[in-house]
Amino acid sequence: MAISRLFIANRGEIALRVLRAAQALNLETVIGVSDADRDSMAARLADRRLVLGPGPAAKSYLDARLVVQAAKASGCDALHPGYGFLSERAELARLCDEHGIVFVGPEPDMIEALGDKLRAREMAAAAGVPLVPGSGEIASAADARKVADQIGYPVLLKASAGGGGRGMVIVNGPAEVESGFNRASAEALAAFNDGTLFMERFVPEARHVEVQLVGDGKGEVVHFGERDCSVQRRYQKVIEEAPCVAMPAELRAQLHQAAVDLAKSVNYRNAGTAEFLYDVTRGEIYFIEVNARIQVEHPVSEMITGRDLVQEQLRIASGQGLSVSQDQITVSGHAIECRINAEDTRRDFVPVPGTITRWRPPEGEGIRLDSHITEGASIPPFYDSMIGKLIVHADTRDAAIDRLIGALDSFEVEGVPTTIPLHRAILKDPRFRSNTIHTRWLEQDLFASQPLAAE
């Protein structure tokens, strides 16, 4: 079905990103915003804005029926959910179907299947994709003890419906099993209304790598290379880069093939990301999960391939299929992205709403800023604290690091503290430069070796 008018069901930088991709394809745009975002940049640039409700997300961006009602009332024939909020809720995709609106994403049943980590593991296993040694559903602490004894400690208890590190607990030995099981189950139940757990072998010094995929829903899938997202805090990505130069070429080819095989096996439709752990010591990769949406870190893949992934989403949703074949996608140079958050790094990264009194972003060759912020903009207290993504591209990783340090040094933000000092500290650390990092490096090593200042 051809698309002519797109409803954007999100806010912040991703709303602006989707809006610009839609405009490049000559689509009309309508954005649904909360009252707190009625004067946002995306609201001003869209052809039309509709106020969904008051600032709290539960009364605006997270109300699926309200969102679809607004899309229908404004005559939109398609809806882009962005990331976060309702982007991975099957309910939204199902409501769009019921009202004759094209959902820019996978089918509802696919969203549900991939959102359940146990089912996703089953799908990956069926496609021959390597998994972390682990279990099916763990019903009790006694079961957890038996499985952990078989796998070998340390192990990781994970929520089947989980995400963002919630419901994940590391268990180092038999004495920690019962308390770990109870804590993980309680966190999962509180966060996802589903306390179902499973277990995996814990890899202490792993790298997080992921493959950017796009599928047409008819069995055709292409990848846009891999990203290395190993710099994390509390399981949240802080810096992402592409490609993963720490991975040997042969293993990289296996990684790409595994991701494509999985997506093809389920006729995946939309942009998506297959996430893996890279066990550097063993030289092996293990499937973690699939994120069935555009990712925050998609710009680094765009920078090394020269492709617009959001436009690709819109073409697929309109039935045009993939615009490129695999042999037309080439990787050039190195890209790094850091997330600029309005947080106070000295106070355990507490979010700081407020008004931006000075905003002087860096400019120059190989520098890209995805942001909805302007001088005088307010940061409401209702949403996440990200105010922009600074991305650089250069010929090599070393040159990209140097370019990003220069860009951060010239980035002037006043009115709220930001995570810019954290990114400087990471980029200037010799262990990051030498690429000898892992998913626990930031908290275990860098934070232990130096205090972080705030700006």
Side-chain angles (χ1 to χ4, degrees), residues 229-290:
C229 310
S230 299
V231 180
Q232 299 183 4
R233 174 180 170 270
R234 295 179 180 172
Y235 302 106
Q236 297 294 313
K237 300 162 189 171
V238 175
I239 285 183
E240 300 101 345
E241 53 185 309
C244 175
V245 295
M247 179 174 282
E250 184 177 346
L251 190 59
R252 178 183 294 116
Q254 292 177 25
L255 175 79
H256 295 166
Q257 192 62 54
V260 170
D261 286 348
L262 172 56
K264 283 188 173 182
S265 73
V266 296
N267 290 332
Y268 184 77
R269 183 187 76 192
N270 188 39
T273 302
E275 299 193 341
F276 294 80
L277 277 183
Y278 170 27
D279 186 334
V280 179
T281 304
R282 295 171 183 260
E284 295 177 344
I285 53 170
Y286 309 116
F287 170 78
I288 306 174
E289 63 180 348
V290 172

Side-chain angles (χ1 to χ4, degrees), residues 78 122 130 167 180 225 314 321 346 348 377 389 398-399 420 429:
E122 292 170 0
L314 294 171
R346 297 171 303 180
D348 198 26
K389 303 181 307 196
D398 275 341
I420 287 176
D429 190 282

Side-chain angles (χ1 to χ4, degrees), residues 343-363:
E343 296 175 354
D344 190 338
T345 57
R346 297 171 303 180
R347 295 193 296 142
D348 198 26
F349 294 84
V350 62
V352 182
T355 300
I356 301 292
T357 57
R358 184 175 180 82
W359 181 256
R360 297 286 188 278
E363 296 178 346

Side-chain angles (χ1 to χ4, degrees), residues 34 43 107 165 226 235 368 374 386 413:
S34 72
E107 301 84 352
E226 79 286 351
Y235 302 106
R368 165 177 167 177
T374 57
M386 192 171 73
V413 185

Side-chain angles (χ1 to χ4, degrees), residues 1-9 28-32 47-48 50 67-80 96 99-102:
M1 173 181 167
I3 295 173
S4 60
R5 185 178 297 166
L6 180 70
F7 191 86
I8 301 170
E28 289 185 55
T29 55
V30 179
I31 187 167
D47 295 306
R48 185 181 175 191
L50 292 176
V67 167
V68 173
Q69 184 181 34
K72 187 75 175 175
S74 55
C76 290
D77 47 23
L79 182 149
H80 196 302
C96 285
H99 289 83
I101 296 171
V102 175

